[in-house]
Amino acid sequence: MSRMQKVLSLVPVMEVMKVVMRLKPERVQELLRDLPGWRLRRDGLGIENVRSFNSGKAARSFVGHVCKLAESRRQPVSVRLAGKQVSITLQGHPAKGCVGGINGAVFNLAGQIG
């Protein structure tokens, strides 16, 4: 058995299969059309959404909802709360092989957030 075969035999098959592929730019644009309010970040490494609420309390409640969704999916999220305005940024999870890229999990979470 070669050294590489020995190394690969130590890694469970499911771990190897966890690598998530980044979506192609055309697919990203297609998916964004189905998510009103979401747009591609300027650097192209994630998607973002900005929402305004009638009160700071409603904005804080929304932030809590977003964080719970992200935590339950183990998906990183960046949330900025400024008074009655909430900014959300989603990008690929480095531990899932998608450093700074956009993958299907990003769009699944964005769809759940709305």
Side-chain angles (χ1 to χ4, degrees), residues 21-76:
M21 300 302 294
R22 292 181 187 182
L23 296 174
K24 293 182 180 181
E26 302 83 25
R27 182 68 176 140
V28 169
Q29 291 302 323
E30 183 180 309
L31 291 169
L32 281 172
R33 283 192 289 274
D34 295 332
L35 290 171
W38 289 91
R39 65 178 184 262
L40 188 63
R41 282 180 27 183
R42 288 183 186 185
D43 61 11
L45 297 178
I47 60 174
E48 59 189 6
N49 183 298
V50 178
R51 295 190 184 186
S52 296
F53 293 86
N54 292 328
S55 69
K57 183 177 180 179
R60 289 188 301 276
S61 176
F62 179 70
V63 167
H65 172 70
V66 168
C67 291
K68 284 180 184 176
L69 283 173
E71 183 179 15
S72 71
R73 286 158 182 74
R74 297 180 186 208
Q75 179 68 36

Side-chain angles (χ1 to χ4, degrees), residues 95-111:
K96 292 185 179 175
C98 192
V99 180
I102 302 172
N103 57 33
V106 168
F107 281 99
N108 288 338
L109 180 56

Side-chain angles (χ1 to χ4, degrees), residues 7-21:
V7 170
L8 289 176
S9 69
L10 298 175
V11 179
V13 174
M14 292 306 291
E15 291 298 315
V16 173
M17 296 175 71
K18 278 187 179 179
V19 175
V20 178
M21 300 302 294

